[in-house]
Amino acid sequence: MKIVMLGAPGAGKGTQADKIAEKYALPHISTGDIFRKNIKEGTELGKEAKSYMDAGKLVPDELTVRLLLDRVANDDCRNGYILDGFPRTIPQADALDAELTKLGEKIDYAINVDVPDENIIGRMSGRRACPKCGATYHIRHLAPKKEGICDSCGTELVIRDDDKPETVKNRLAVYHEQTQPLIEYFEKKGVLHTVDGTIDATDVFKAIESILN
Ligand code: ADP
Ligand code: AMP
């Protein structure tokens, strides 16, 4: 089963992708997490991605597509995967489609987590992330058991550099311009499912389960 998560930055794609990964035993592949890991490790890829990410812009397609296609060629993706934050542009979607077509495969579900812009700023200003394992929390809606500490690995949580309100505004504008057209793209392919992302995360997951079951 191959799943693409769609939705604005902060809509809850990563939160839901984690739940799907756990229940269906599929790898959760977040291009944002891969870039952040590279930044932390100081790799060339990380250095190149950082300036775009800090400005709230997209990392160039060529670099992102190469990275993603390498990742999904790994053995752990044989039974499928969940893509979170990829594709983000029509050329990225076309590149993935071309690769899957070559393999006689396709995306089975594109799940659009729908959250209006007015909810997004609050979601992202309250987001706290684990720099070690990538788990995501919210100071009010999805708080960790111990304030500021990751439930999964005990690491101190951080505010992402690109979750500042000015950057969030840029990211939302980029989303509407370059990523939102993918909703129609996947609708035309007959695999689009939209869920209301404004409700409690547990209820969002119930809606997703009923689509996948
Ligand atoms: P995305 O991966 O789409 O950028 P995240 O999954 O990181 O979004 O979620 C953004 C923020 O909103 C996080 O702080 C997360 O804990 C919180 N969040 C996720 N889903 C919900 C929800 N249904 N209701 C309230 N807050 C949520
Ligand atoms: P995310 O963690 O998905 O919110 O992504 C954080 C940032 O990483 C984005 O704002 C982009 O700068 C970059 N990024 C992640 N995925 C992609 C992608 N598919 N294409 C281009 N840039 C991306």
Side-chain angles (χ1 to χ4, degrees):
M1 182 159 69
K2 296 188 185 61
I3 303 169
V4 162
M5 303 301 294
L6 296 175
K13 301 181 295 296
T15 302
Q16 297 303 323
D18 269 344
K19 294 179 189 291
I20 301 170
E22 197 184 345
K23 170 153 187 196
Y24 298 91
L26 294 170
H28 167 190
I29 301 174
S30 154
T31 37
D33 281 351
I34 299 174
F35 288 134
R36 280 185 289 277
K37 183 164 180 278
N38 276 274
I39 291 173
K40 208 170 134 212
E41 290 169 356
T43 67
E44 278 309 308
L45 172 72
K47 281 179 200 152
E48 193 165 348
K50 186 170 173 27
S51 56
Y52 296 100
M53 291 171 74
D54 285 351
K57 292 183 183 159
L58 295 184
V59 177
D61 284 340
E62 200 200 303
L63 191 70
T64 311
V65 165
R66 209 172 347 119
L67 174 94
L68 189 277
L69 294 184
D70 276 356
R71 176 65 188 87
V72 296
N74 281 3
D75 258 6
D76 66 333
C77 291
R78 230 178 308 148
N79 294 327
Y81 42 77
I82 309 147
L83 300 184
D84 160 18
F86 185 98
R88 256 184 162 96
T89 64
I90 299 276
Q92 289 181 13
D94 282 339
L96 176 65
D97 189 57
E99 185 65 19
L100 290 175
T101 304
K102 252 196 266 168
L103 301 169
E105 297 174 358
K106 66 176 184 60
I107 293 297
D108 302 297
Y109 300 94
I111 297 176
N112 176 30
V113 184
D114 189 28
V115 174
D117 284 9
E118 53 268 30
N119 299 27
I120 293 290
I121 305 265
R123 287 265 179 112
M124 281 153 109
S125 59
R127 171 156 60 185
R128 296 293 180 271
C130 174
K132 186 158 178 220
C133 74
T136 300
Y137 302 88
H138 191 281
I139 50 171
R140 283 181 304 280
H141 311 305
L142 283 163
K145 290 192 185 83
K146 185 165 178 229
E147 195 184 323
I149 302 292
C150 179
D151 289 349
S152 310
C153 70
T155 305
E156 198 167 327
L157 302 175
V158 298
I159 300 178
R160 273 172 49 173
D161 286 344
D162 58 350
D163 277 350
K164 290 178 292 210
E166 321 82 85
T167 317
V168 169
K169 276 189 201 141
N170 288 344
R171 293 169 68 197
L172 267 178
V174 167
Y175 167 75
H176 288 302
E177 192 186 318
Q178 299 196 61
T179 308
Q180 205 172 12
L182 291 173
I183 294 175
E184 198 183 329
Y185 178 100
F186 284 106
E187 186 168 30
K188 282 191 182 143
K189 290 196 178 288
V191 295
L192 181 78
H193 300 266
T194 295
V195 294
D196 177 1
T198 63
I199 57 178
D200 188 86
T202 314
D203 295 324
V204 179
F205 185 58
K206 282 188 191 141
I208 294 177
E209 279 179 304
S210 67
I211 293 163
L212 302 180
N213 285 339

